[in-house]
Amino acid sequence: MKGKICIIEREIPNIKDNFILVKTSYTAISPGTELTMTKNSGNELVNLGYSASGEVVEVGEGVDYIKPGDRVACYGAPYVSHSEYLLVPKTLCVKVPDSLGLKEAALVGLGAIAIHALRQARLQFGEIAVVSGLGIFGQLIGQIANASALRVIPLNNTEKRAELFEKITGIKTFVNEADMEDYIKKISCDRGADAVFLCAGRSAGYQTNKSMEWLRHRGKSIIVGDIEPHYDRGLMFDKEIEIMISKAGGPGRYDKVYEFQAIDYPYGYVRWTEGRNMEEFIRLVAENKIIVEDYINDSIKINDAESAYPELETGTYAGLTKIISYI
């Protein structure tokens, strides 16, 4: 309430049909989303967090592919939060293979969001994708795009995050827009990029308009971060730019039928739901197609979680996220 972070005690949820009770091992803080929620909370009590991993304690009637003792990753408020026990619909819970640590798996919600953003652009391998803003979402989008054989051009205005992405991927990363623009012209033969993913915050709102200068004719500008769009109609018209926005983890998000009633969409009609995007993220990490270890090396105990947010809010924190431990 009123921006104050506090820990409260609640009863362990009771199991119900089509839901899974999880004893939490780790949750991942999503700094942009959660700091915005605290600022806008007013006098309301709001639960923070939406990405977690843990061990199954109990399953309800209708759950037939997950059993007690399984290691799982789960995503999606209000079912998932920074809490010791989570009651999650089966559509928002996926198994974690033994080869993958639960700390890495706790990024599943952030990973599903990154995957859905990339799917929105409908790119084919070999096309050029600019990723502007290398917070946790930009880093993941850039890595997944690279794993998909896209030609990734990353941009961030602070050297530390640019250096982190370049260290992990080996991809040339830019901190200067002019240098990046020259590079786009060079590798595209002056045609422009196929897509720009805007992953920066509100202060980078000018990039919505700027992105159209970086794009080819009929290119795609995809809003991922908390950016207010300001697109010039003339340039948008001249290039027939396609403006898109990415809504969380994919089809099913915020749909009460898919989530609360835990009724999955038919596989043949909706190939990549948020649940299946979660599965794909877990596969990519487990197979080392994307590397997340450098994003999760700052772990704090749940009882110390209150201290994490002031540091994230000041902007002085060098990391991308913090992982809360319950074990």
Side-chain angles (χ1 to χ4, degrees):
M1 296 190 302
K2 295 183 178 180
K4 178 178 173 57
I5 305 296
C6 60
I7 297 173
I8 62 174
E9 292 190 9
R10 288 175 173 162
E11 297 290 329
I12 297 174
N14 294 319
I15 196 66
K16 59 183 181 179
D17 292 354
N18 296 312
F19 275 66
I20 297 164
L21 182 63
V22 178
K23 173 68 174 69
T24 309
S25 297
Y26 300 97
T27 58
I29 294 177
S30 178
T33 300
E34 295 183 38
L35 290 173
T36 297
M37 289 177 67
T38 59
K39 289 177 183 177
N40 297 337
S41 62
N43 291 318
E44 297 295 321
L45 183 66
V46 295
N47 293 327
L48 299 176
Y50 58 75
S51 187
S53 64
E55 185 173 310
V56 175
V57 176
E58 189 177 359
V59 300
E61 290 291 329
V63 179
D64 54 11
Y65 60 94
I66 289 177
K67 63 184 185 302
D70 283 347
R71 302 161 75 246
V72 295
C74 41
Y75 157 58
Y79 316 100
V80 178
S81 61
H82 300 307
S83 179
E84 289 184 292
Y85 286 88
L86 303 168
L87 186 63
V88 187
K90 64 182 182 181
T91 46
L92 297 178
C93 204
V94 301
K95 285 186 178 182
V96 175
D98 293 337
S99 60
L100 182 63
L102 286 175
K103 188 183 285 188
E104 289 83 357
L107 292 173
V108 67
L110 289 79
I113 292 169
I115 286 175
H116 179 59
L118 197 58
R119 293 197 194 286
Q120 286 290 83
R122 304 185 303 277
L123 296 174
Q124 301 183 55
F125 64 86
E127 292 192 305
I128 299 170
V130 173
V131 180
S132 178
L134 295 175
I136 187 63
F137 290 120
Q139 297 265 342
L140 292 173
I141 289 170
Q143 282 208 56
I144 297 165
N146 185 49
S148 304
L150 297 171
R151 302 171 74 183
V152 180
I153 303 177
L155 171 69
N156 197 84
N157 62 6
T158 58
E159 290 188 2
K160 190 172 291 291
R161 291 184 175 184
E163 289 170 355
L164 175 61
F165 187 80
E166 188 162 325
K167 183 190 83 169
I168 292 171
T169 64
I171 297 171
K172 182 177 179 62
T173 306
F174 294 88
V175 295
N176 182 284
E177 288 183 11
D179 291 342
M180 185 199 68
E181 289 165 0
D182 289 341
Y183 188 70
I184 292 172
K185 291 176 182 178
K186 178 181 176 181
I187 69 167
S188 71
C189 298
D190 208 18
R191 299 184 184 100
D194 297 282
V196 175
F197 294 89
L198 297 166
C199 305
R202 284 182 176 266
S203 61
Y206 75 94
Q207 285 190 355
T208 54
N209 207 38
K210 189 75 171 175
S211 68
M212 296 191 291
E213 298 178 16
W214 304 337
L215 286 165
R216 63 167 170 84
H217 179 72
R218 306 190 77 184
K220 299 164 184 173
S221 179
I222 302 100
I223 297 173
V224 183
D226 184 22
I227 290 178
E228 286 294 329
H230 300 285
Y231 289 100
D232 177 79
R233 186 186 183 282
L235 190 54
M236 186 166 56
F237 176 85
D238 183 54
K239 284 190 172 182
E240 291 189 292
I241 297 297
E242 187 172 356
I243 309 299
M244 313 178 76
I245 194 163
S246 178
K247 180 181 177 181
R253 190 69 187 110
Y254 308 114
D255 181 352
K256 291 183 179 179
V257 173
Y258 180 89
E259 295 187 340
F260 183 73
Q261 296 181 35
I263 298 175
D264 201 356
Y265 296 151
Y267 188 86
Y269 290 92
V270 185
R271 177 63 180 89
W272 291 109
T273 61
E274 58 177 329
R276 292 191 268 275
N277 281 335
M278 292 166 61
E279 291 174 351
E280 183 62 8
F281 176 75
I282 294 298
R283 181 188 74 84
L284 289 170
V285 179
E287 295 181 2
N288 293 315
K289 297 291 195 305
I290 57 176
I291 307 301
V292 301
E293 282 80 4
D294 286 323
Y295 305 150
I296 57 172
N297 50 21
D298 194 351
S299 179
I300 56 174
K301 293 291 186 180
I302 179 59
N303 290 335
D304 299 322
E306 294 175 66
S307 65
Y309 290 88
E311 187 177 13
L312 290 168
E313 190 171 15
T314 61
T316 58
Y317 178 58
L320 303 177
T321 182
K322 286 177 177 282
I323 299 294
I324 299 176
S325 173
Y326 303 76
I327 56 178

